[in-house]
Amino acid sequence: MEDNLDVIIIGAGLAGLTAAKLLKAAGKSVKILEASDRPGGRVRTEEVDGFLLDRGFQVLLTAYPETKRFLDYDALELQNFDPGALILNETGTTKIGDPLRQPGALISTLASSAGTLADKFRMLGLKLKLTGKSIDEIFASDEATTLAYLNDQGFSQRMISQFFKPFMSGIFLENQLSTSSRMFEFVFKMFSQGNAAVPAGGMGMIPIQLAKGLATNEIVFDQKAVFIDGNKVTTDSGQIYKTTSILIATDQLEVPGPFSRTPSSYHSVTNMYFTAGHKPYAMPLIALNALPEKLVNNMAVMNQIAPQYSKNGDALISLSLIGDHSGTDDSKLQSEVLHEMQAWFPHATQWKHLKTFHIGYALPNDDKVTGDLSPQANRLNEECFICGDYLMNGSINAAMKSGRLAAEAIIISRN
């Protein structure tokens, strides 16, 4: 049995790592128990055949308050997407941009078939409205579904189906736009006020940077916490850790007993990677599939954004399929996906498959969200505290904020 620790943190995702950083700064002794072989939780990057593969298509929104607070953007060497998107529709491709940030995108945006001229002015109006609305005000707003919100804003059905639905589905990982309108306003504000970016070395560099201040004996890998009894944590290997405070920083499905609860719903995604000798398109943009019946929701040529994602310079193509596709034979899925992409990229059938990630728990259900937590919401009992994005909203920002709030609650309770 190991004891004499101030805080045991269960889970080395962004929430747990952020909490550890603050607790250490406050002079607390910490140890993180991580079930996998590396830090990051759902944010991780693998190297396969000289390509960097993020586990699920993810971006860092540089306007996030918590990431600005805790991350060194320069050290991450952030590589930015251009604002806007390439729309893949029934007539071919069309580009929609942000003329306020890229004046050169004005003509193509006004000419885009993705929406009416009135839609584009409504988009500008929405951006200006949210620029003047604080994050606190957003999360205090009445909640509706994102779809109802967009209809209420007066956007045409074409603009919703061609742009908003595939764009927000790729972020929310659900294609009905049932996600809270608060979440839509928050995300749209973040996109408008900063960049969507990836670190040069992959999204996994974010947790690696957060973990840098930890000593080797302060994080234990391949130790899955299975039960909490008072101030003791038991792992699947039979190891028992004794501590003053315990912080559960896992996702909803991995919360150890006796506190484990199966969520009523959450969102899944399948992320497929292919390589090709030539890039399907040469713009640092996300591509959105606007067809109503589709497999692929969105696409990105990752080394067009961050060249280091491909050592040999071949195209690294990331495709996201909303939902759980793990029941489909992988070779059949690959064939169907490439056939679909062939409508816009005739050479798609020559793309070489690299890897498929079936991510069962990718995001919590965000039909109801909040932007803050009371100290009581972080505390389960005298010894045990909890954090995670699902307590607030499914985002990197909320994961890190929940970790910060939990750490602050522990520090206050033990002083």
Side-chain angles (χ1 to χ4, degrees), residues 12 14 36-60 76 197-209 271 273 302 306 308-311 316 354-355 357 359 396:
L14 301 188
S36 74
D37 62 352
R38 71 187 83 175
R42 286 170 283 151
V43 181
R44 57 173 59 204
T45 303
E46 296 181 13
E47 184 169 338
V48 177
D49 296 342
F51 296 93
L52 298 179
L53 311 184
D54 294 330
R55 189 177 179 274
F57 174 71
Q58 301 175 357
V59 297
L60 171 64
L76 289 173
V198 292
M203 289 294 287
M205 296 306 294
I206 294 173
I208 287 171
Q209 187 183 97
N271 179 211
Y273 284 97
M302 295 307 299
Q308 285 177 241
Y309 270 64
S310 168
K311 278 187 180 173
L316 175 62
L354 259 181
K355 186 159 185 174
F357 295 100
I359 305 165
I396 287 173

Side-chain angles (χ1 to χ4, degrees), residues 138-396:
I138 285 173
F139 283 107
S141 302
D142 292 338
E143 277 185 292
T145 66
T146 292
L147 184 59
Y149 177 91
L150 292 170
N151 283 321
D152 191 53
Q153 295 296 310
F155 288 104
S156 72
Q157 291 309 301
R158 181 162 183 82
M159 187 67 171
I160 291 173
S161 65
Q162 294 275 302
F163 175 72
F164 283 114
K165 203 159 202 177
F167 187 65
M168 301 315 297
S169 291
I171 297 163
F172 298 155
L173 303 185
E174 54 90 8
N175 51 27
Q176 301 302 310
L177 297 191
S178 63
T179 293
S180 168
S181 53
R182 292 176 181 174
M183 196 63 187
F184 170 79
E185 284 197 333
F186 173 63
V187 168
F188 200 80
K189 179 181 175 72
M190 294 296 98
F191 269 104
S192 298
Q193 293 182 195
N195 293 307
V198 292
M203 289 294 287
M205 296 306 294
I206 294 173
I208 287 171
Q209 187 183 97
L210 284 173
K212 265 186 179 169
L214 292 169
T216 52
N217 66 333
E218 290 177 324
I219 182 164
V220 184
F221 296 108
D222 300 311
Q223 284 282 344
K224 180 180 172 65
V226 293
F227 199 79
I228 297 168
D229 181 11
N231 65 344
K232 295 194 288 291
V233 180
T234 303
T235 70
D236 55 356
S237 67
Q239 183 82 24
I240 298 173
Y241 296 84
K242 190 177 177 184
T243 180
T244 303
S245 299
I246 297 164
L247 175 57
I248 300 170
T250 67
D251 69 38
Q252 287 171 287
L253 299 185
E254 301 301 327
V255 174
F259 303 107
S260 51
R261 299 283 184 275
T262 303
S264 56
S265 67
Y266 49 88
H267 301 314
S268 306
V269 70
T270 290
N271 179 211
M272 304 180 79
Y273 284 97
F274 294 87
T275 67
H278 300 283
K279 294 172 182 173
Y281 59 92
M283 294 170 281
L285 283 171
I286 188 170
L288 306 174
N289 185 350
L291 297 186
E293 301 296 326
K294 63 189 175 189
L295 267 174
V296 176
N297 182 80
N298 53 278
M299 164 184 177
V301 183
M302 295 307 299
N303 60 316
Q304 184 66 40
I305 319 303
Q308 285 177 241
Y309 270 64
S310 168
K311 278 187 180 173
N312 67 5
D314 283 355
L316 175 62
I317 302 156
S318 170
L319 304 176
S320 296
L321 290 66
I322 308 302
D324 183 0
H325 297 268
S326 59
T328 305
D329 176 76
D330 270 3
S331 60
K332 181 174 184 289
L333 195 60
Q334 290 167 34
S335 175
E336 291 173 350
V337 159
L338 294 181
H339 177 72
E340 184 173 277
M341 290 293 97
Q342 207 177 0
W344 302 283
F345 310 108
H347 298 294
T349 51
Q350 297 169 28
W351 296 352
K352 178 190 171 190
H353 178 254
L354 259 181
K355 186 159 185 174
T356 295
F357 295 100
H358 295 292
I359 305 165
Y361 184 98
L363 276 180
N365 180 301
D366 276 339
D367 289 357
K368 303 287 181 188
V369 298
T370 183
D372 215 340
L373 288 174
S374 68
Q376 295 77 20
N378 281 117
R379 194 162 193 173
L380 296 173
N381 60 29
E382 180 64 25
E383 297 92 1
C384 199
F385 297 76
I386 193 163
C387 62
D389 63 345
Y390 61 91
L391 298 173
M392 301 169 68
N393 59 80
S395 66
I396 287 173

Side-chain angles (χ1 to χ4, degrees), residues 110 115-130 149-157 159-160 164 184 188:
L110 291 176
T116 66
L117 187 60
D119 282 323
K120 283 115 187 203
F121 282 110
R122 285 191 188 95
M123 183 95 83
L124 177 61
L126 179 61
K127 177 173 177 170
L128 294 173
K129 168 189 161 184
L130 294 177
Y149 177 91
L150 292 170
N151 283 321
D152 191 53
Q153 295 296 310
F155 288 104
S156 72
Q157 291 309 301
M159 187 67 171
I160 291 173
F164 283 114
F184 170 79
F188 200 80

Side-chain angles (χ1 to χ4, degrees), residues 394-411:
S395 66
I396 287 173
N397 187 75
M400 294 178 69
K401 184 172 183 177
S402 72
R404 171 173 67 82
L405 293 175
E408 290 169 353
I410 291 171
I411 292 164

